[in-house]
């Protein structure tokens, strides 16, 4: 059986790692990279650090407005799918690369499986929310990470196409956590274990409005311990454009780091402050308190279990929220035990094409 994985952005490389490993020797697994993320530390570093095979195709699409970016991917992916005729196209998460691959494949009558199906923020301002909903409704097989995701799919009439496989990011997180255990803290900033916070900000809703971005940074600047801000290129570009200085008060700016360094940095942090989906969950899995700069989250279990607090816009209150006491310990495992990639491959192999 031939399976074509399509990826393009940083979180998709992380999800691809355990899948590529589980596919080895069991399927003819091809990888197409759209080129949505292209900086070395946003792309190639992940393939090298996580031992992911070199992509078979790279469209080199790069940055652009949603229409131009997604359109260029659609054009390139159509050719790749026509040439390779896979039994499945496997798409990951919620980026423009996900949507482009799903649309290209279904129009060619090639079956599409969506990994991380059924997540919903119910926030229609997020491009990712449209990408998720449209991909789920186009796909033939919906591989859901959680029971909550399964419930969303059922509500939308998609129960028959849905399978609960668990969360593949948990697979890679646990493996990497064990690999980096005992290695020294590898951050460029001069900080001590337990004596700093890790922060990331990249969502358009937080970066594109200069007043909101300034308010977030003002709040972070007043946190009592250093806040190591791993600056996504989107954040740097928009801060430059609006004349906003990222490094002020407690904020120490760093380039994005590779996945093992990130896991190591979060594991030793006093807390995480982020608007990333994946990082909220990684913090929970490492039992590090998280403060999420968004009105809602797709990973509601992290909030329900007390490890994640959402901050919609009361940014002056950030220091008190970030420095809150640790929540009660829990051994809940809503994201599975680290074997989701196996379940994904089994499901794909057992469902032969029509
Ligand atoms: C994308 C995904 C988002 C995911 C995020 C992870 C969409 C709509 N959004 O957002 O779901 O959480 O990736 O990072 O698909 N840039 C670079 N170098 C790079 C990549 C991006 O400089 O390697 C800059 C460019 O200026 C670009 C901007 O970042 O315009 C945004 O990149 P883009 O891929 O459009 O979306 P992200 O914000 O990264």
């Amino acid at each position: 059986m031939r399976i074509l994985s399509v990826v393009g952005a940083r979180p998709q490389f992380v999800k691809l790692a355990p899948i590529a490993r589980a596919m080895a020797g069991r399927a003819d697994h091809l990888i197409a990279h759209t080129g949505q993320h292209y900086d070395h530390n946003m792309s190639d570093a992940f393939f090298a650090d996580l031992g992911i095979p070199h992509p078979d195709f790279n469209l080199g699409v790069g940055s652009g407005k949603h229409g131009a970016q997604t359109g260029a991917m659609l054009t390139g992916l159509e050719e790749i799918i026509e040439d390779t005729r896979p039994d499945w196209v496997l798409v990951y998460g919620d980026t423009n690369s996900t949507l482009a691959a799903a649309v290209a494949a279904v129009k060619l009558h090639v079956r599409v499986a969506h990994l991380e199906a059924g997540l919903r923020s119910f926030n229609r301002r997020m491009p990712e929310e449209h990408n998720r909903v449209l991909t789920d409704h186009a796909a033939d097989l919906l591989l859901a990470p959680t029971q909550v995701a399964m419930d969303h799919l059922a509500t939308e009439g998609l129960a028959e196409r849905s399978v609960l496989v668990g969360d593949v990011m948990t697979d890679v997180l646990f493996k990497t956590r064990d690999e980096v255990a005992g290695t020294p803290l590898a951050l460029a900033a001069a900080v001590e274990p337990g004596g700093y916070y890790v922060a990331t900000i990249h969502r358009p809703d937080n970066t594109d409005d200069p007043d909101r971005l300034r308010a977030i940074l003002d709040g972070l600047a007043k946190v009592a311990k250093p806040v190591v801000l791993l600056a996504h290129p989107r954040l740097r570009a928009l801060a430059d454009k609006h004349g906003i200085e990222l490094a002020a008060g407690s904020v120490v700016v760093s380039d994005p780091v590779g996945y093992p360094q990130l896991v190591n940095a979060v594991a030793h942090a006093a807390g995480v402050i982020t608007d990333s989906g994946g990082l909220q969950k990684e913090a929970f899995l490492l039992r590090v308190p998280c403060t999420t700069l968004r009105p809602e989250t797709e990973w509601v279990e992290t909030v329900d279990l007390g490890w994640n607090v959402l901050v919609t816009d009361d940014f002056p209150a950030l220091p008190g929220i970030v420095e809150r006491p640790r929540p009660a310990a829990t051994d809940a495992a809503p994201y599975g035990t680290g074997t989701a990639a196996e379940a994904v491959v089994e499901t794909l192999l057992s469902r032969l094409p029509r």
Side-chain angles (χ1 to χ4, degrees):
M1 178 177 292
R2 173 172 282 177
I3 298 171
L4 175 68
S5 278
V6 179
V7 292
R10 189 168 54 169
Q12 294 168 326
F13 311 141
V14 176
K15 292 165 200 163
L16 171 62
I19 295 288
R21 201 171 314 112
M23 292 269 190
R26 305 190 63 195
D28 174 17
H29 184 219
L30 301 176
I31 298 173
H33 186 331
T34 62
Q36 177 169 354
H37 285 177
Y38 45 86
D39 285 353
H40 174 80
N41 61 5
M42 299 284 287
S43 175
D44 293 356
F46 283 76
F47 282 78
D49 287 343
L50 296 174
I52 306 168
H54 197 71
D56 300 277
F57 308 93
N58 192 325
L59 294 175
V61 161
S63 307
K65 291 187 190 175
H66 287 287
Q69 188 183 55
T70 312
M73 292 173 186
L74 200 46
T75 307
L77 289 169
E78 187 168 68
E79 295 222 347
I80 293 171
I81 296 168
E82 270 179 338
D83 289 350
T84 57
R85 294 308 304 181
D87 297 301
W88 286 106
V89 169
L90 181 57
V91 303
Y92 298 69
D94 57 18
T95 72
N96 290 341
S97 300
T98 315
L99 178 63
V103 173
V106 290
K107 294 283 180 75
L108 293 169
H109 312 298
V110 172
R111 286 161 67 98
V112 178
H114 183 203
L115 183 76
E116 215 175 69
L119 292 189
R120 296 289 181 268
S121 67
F122 302 103
N123 177 351
R124 290 175 57 80
R125 286 185 52 83
M126 289 176 69
E128 294 84 356
E129 183 72 357
H130 299 290
N131 290 340
R132 291 180 194 121
V133 172
L134 293 167
T135 301
D136 280 341
H137 284 257
D140 300 275
L141 177 62
L142 302 171
L143 301 162
T146 61
Q147 186 54 47
V148 171
M150 289 291 283
D151 296 344
H152 291 323
L153 293 168
T155 304
E156 293 175 29
L158 301 172
E160 276 187 14
R161 291 186 244 164
S162 308
V163 180
L164 178 61
V165 288
D167 173 46
V168 298
M169 285 185 95
T170 299
D171 300 13
V172 62
L173 189 273
F174 284 173
K175 181 169 185 288
T176 308
R177 175 197 62 190
D178 295 346
E179 284 166 4
V180 301
T183 59
L185 184 57
L187 278 173
V191 288
E192 295 296 323
Y196 65 93
Y197 295 92
V198 169
T200 75
I201 307 166
H202 80 278
R203 296 252 162 236
D205 259 2
N206 285 336
T207 55
D208 296 11
D209 170 0
D211 292 338
R212 186 174 171 89
L213 180 56
R214 245 184 229 109
I216 292 172
L217 290 163
D218 285 349
L220 295 182
K222 297 192 177 76
V223 170
K225 294 181 175 128
V227 175
V228 180
L229 177 60
L230 304 172
H232 187 290
R234 159 189 282 286
L235 174 65
R236 284 213 197 254
L238 286 153
D240 275 358
K241 180 173 159 197
H242 299 305
I244 297 173
E245 180 58 60
L246 294 175
S250 298
V251 177
V252 184
V253 182
S254 157
D255 282 334
V257 294
Y259 190 74
Q261 293 96 306
L262 178 81
V263 172
N264 176 288
V266 171
H268 290 105
V272 165
I273 308 152
T274 190
D275 59 9
S276 149
L279 194 48
Q280 295 168 43
K281 192 177 34 164
E282 286 157 350
F284 167 74
L285 292 168
L286 294 166
R287 297 300 190 265
V288 172
C290 184
T291 303
T292 296
L293 308 177
R294 283 179 49 194
E296 75 289 300
T297 178
E298 300 78 14
W299 303 108
V300 290
E301 302 83 0
T302 60
V303 174
D304 295 345
L305 290 164
W307 287 81
N308 191 7
V309 171
L310 306 179
V311 178
T312 301
D313 48 22
D314 189 6
F315 302 125
L318 268 178
I321 298 169
V322 165
E323 294 158 27
R324 68 190 183 274
R326 281 173 70 83
T330 175
D331 56 8
Y335 305 116
T337 54
T339 56
E342 274 301 319
V344 168
V345 174
E346 280 301 327
T347 306
L348 291 173
L349 295 180
S350 67
R351 299 193 175 209
L352 291 169
R354 280 186 285 263

